[in-house]
C-alpha cells in the first residue's frame, strides 16, 4: 500500500509548478551566467583509475535498491516536484496561488541552474550508468528514453541543491535540514542508476557557483525581500495558507557510513550518528 501511495503522489506532482519543460527567465543571462566548463572537472574515463570511485557507487546504488524503503524514496524523488521535496521542511504548502513570491524566487534560480547544467551536459555527452552497463535502472519503463539523454552533471541534483540554497536564504534557521535533504535527493539519483557519483558531486559544485553569482544580483535580493515578507505573513497566521506537514531532517539525527552515505538497517561497520561512532556487525 505504501509503495502504491508513493507512486501515486509522484504521478500527481508532474502537474506542479516544477514539472515543466520550459523554465522561466533566470536572474542571470547567457553573458553573466558563469560557465561551468571552466571550473568543473572532466568526468573520469572508463579506463582511468578515477573511475573506481564511480564504479563503487554504482554497485552501492544497485545494492541499495534491495531495501524497499530506500528504493521507494528514490522513486519518489525521481518524479516529485521540488516544492514537494522541500515544503515539508519549510512547513508551508507552496502553490502559484498562495505563495507566488516564494515560487518565483525559486523558479528563477532553478532556471539558471538548468541552463548552466545543460551547457556542461551537452559538451561531455556522458552515458548514464544503467545504459553503460546495459542493465535496468530502478525505473526500467523509462530506460529507453533516459538512455538518449546525458549524465554529467546531474540536472536533478543541480536543481535540488540550488533550491536548498534558495530556501536557506528564505529560512536560515532550517538551512541544515535543507542541505541534508538536498544531499539525500542527489544520492537517490545514484540509487536509481541514472547518474554516476561524480555526476552528483559536480552538480553541487555547479549549483554553488551559480548561486554565489545569483545571490549578488539586485534582482535576487529584491525577490528575496518579497518572498520573506510573504513567508513571514504565512508563519504569523495573518494570511490563510495551508500548512504543509513538517518533516524534520536534522543533521544530528542522520546516521552515515564512513564513506558518507546514509546508513540503513543493513549497513555494517563503522556508523556515525550525532557525532558518535558505533560499530555494527
Amino acid at each position: 500500500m505504501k509503495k502504491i501511495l508513493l507512486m501515486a503522489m509522484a504521478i500527481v506532482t508532474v502537474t506542479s509548478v516544477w514539472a515543466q519543460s520550459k523554465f522561466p527567465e533566470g536572474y542571470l543571462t547567457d553573458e553573466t551566467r558563469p560557465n561551468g566548463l571552466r571550473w568543473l572537472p572532466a568526468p573520469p574515463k572508463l579506463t582511468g583509475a578515477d573511475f573506481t570511485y564511480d564504479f563503487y557507487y554504482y554497485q552501492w546504488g544497485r545494492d541499495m535498491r534491495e531495501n524497499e524503503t530506500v528504493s521507494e524514496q528514490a522513486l519518489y524523488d525521481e518524479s516529485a516536484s521540488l516544492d514537494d521535496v522541500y515544503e515539508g521542511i519549510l512547513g508551508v504548502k507552496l502553490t502559484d496561488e498562495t505563495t507566488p513570491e516564494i515560487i518565483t524566487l525559486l523558479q528563477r534560480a532553478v532556471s539558471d541552474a538548468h541552463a548552466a547544467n545543460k551547457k556542461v551536459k551537452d559538451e561531455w555527452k556522458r552515458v548514464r550508468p544503467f545504459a553503460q552497463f546495459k542493465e535496468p535502472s530502478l525505473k526500467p519503463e523509462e530506460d529507453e528514453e533516459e538512455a538518449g539523454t546525458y549524465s554529467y552533471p546531474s540536472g536533478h541534483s543541480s536543481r535540488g541543491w540550488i533550491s536548498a540554497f534558495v530556501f536557506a536564504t528564505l529560512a536560515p534557521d532550517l538551512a541544515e535540514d535543507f542541505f541534508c535533504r538536498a544531499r539525500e535527493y542527489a544520492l537517490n539519483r545514484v540509487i536509481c542508476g541514472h547518474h554516476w557519483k561524480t555526476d552528483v558531486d559536480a552538480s553541487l559544485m555547479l549549483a554553488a557557483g551559480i548561486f554565489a553569482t545569483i545571490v549578488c544580483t539586485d534582482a535576487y535580493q529584491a525577490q528575496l525581500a518579497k518572498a520573506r515578507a510573504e513567508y513571514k505573513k504565512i508563519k504569523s497566521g495573518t494570511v490563510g495558507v495551508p500548512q504543509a506537514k513538517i518533516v524534520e531532517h536534522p543533521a544530528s539525527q542522520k546516521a552515515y557510513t564512513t564513506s558518507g552515505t546514509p546508513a540503513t538497517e543493513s549497513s555494517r561497520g563503522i556508523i556515525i550518528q550525532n557525532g558518535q561512532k558505533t560499530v555494527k556487525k
Side-chain angles (χ1 to χ4, degrees), residues 48-102:
D50 291 345
F51 182 68
T52 56
Y53 174 77
D54 273 333
F55 184 64
Y56 166 82
Y57 271 100
Y58 176 74
Q59 293 178 309
W60 168 82
R62 191 170 52 187
D63 291 343
M64 292 295 283
R65 296 178 209 169
E66 300 301 317
N67 184 302
E68 185 176 359
T69 301
V70 171
S71 62
E72 285 177 353
Q73 184 64 57
L75 279 173
Y76 176 79
D77 282 357
E78 164 74 20
S79 302
S81 61
L82 289 170
D83 47 349
D84 284 337
V85 168
Y86 291 105
E87 67 183 16
I89 300 174
L90 196 64
V92 175
K93 189 68 178 175
L94 302 174
T95 70
D96 277 329
E97 293 74 25
T98 59
T99 57
E101 303 299 349
I102 297 175

Side-chain angles (χ1 to χ4, degrees), residues 211-221:
F211 184 73
T213 309
I214 287 174
V215 76
C216 296
T217 65
D218 292 339
Y220 182 84
Q221 291 300 322

Side-chain angles (χ1 to χ4, degrees), residues 15-154:
T15 60
S16 73
V17 295
W18 295 106
Q20 52 189 347
S21 57
K22 293 184 178 180
F23 289 81
E25 180 182 356
Y27 296 102
L28 308 174
T29 66
D30 290 341
E31 290 72 33
T32 61
R33 189 180 303 113
N35 182 358
L37 290 169
R38 295 196 61 187
W39 80 86
L40 294 185
K45 296 180 180 179
L46 295 177
T47 55
D50 291 345
F51 182 68
T52 56
Y53 174 77
D54 273 333
F55 184 64
Y56 166 82
Y57 271 100
Y58 176 74
Q59 293 178 309
W60 168 82
R62 191 170 52 187
D63 291 343
M64 292 295 283
R65 296 178 209 169
E66 300 301 317
N67 184 302
E68 185 176 359
T69 301
V70 171
S71 62
E72 285 177 353
Q73 184 64 57
L75 279 173
Y76 176 79
D77 282 357
E78 164 74 20
S79 302
S81 61
L82 289 170
D83 47 349
D84 284 337
V85 168
Y86 291 105
E87 67 183 16
I89 300 174
L90 196 64
V92 175
K93 189 68 178 175
L94 302 174
T95 70
D96 277 329
E97 293 74 25
T98 59
T99 57
E101 303 299 349
I102 297 175
I103 290 295
T104 299
L105 181 73
L106 264 72
Q107 279 187 329
R108 294 186 66 184
V110 168
S111 181
D112 282 316
H114 172 75
N117 195 90
K118 185 177 184 302
K119 185 169 187 175
V120 181
K121 270 193 175 186
D122 289 345
E123 174 69 21
W124 289 111
K125 297 180 173 58
R126 193 181 193 189
V127 177
R128 295 185 183 274
F130 76 89
Q132 185 67 57
F133 290 112
K134 295 180 173 57
E135 296 179 343
S137 71
L138 187 58
K139 203 171 185 180
E141 66 273 17
E142 295 185 1
D143 283 356
E144 184 175 355
E145 180 180 355
E146 287 289 325
T149 59
Y150 305 130
S151 182
Y152 179 90
S154 165

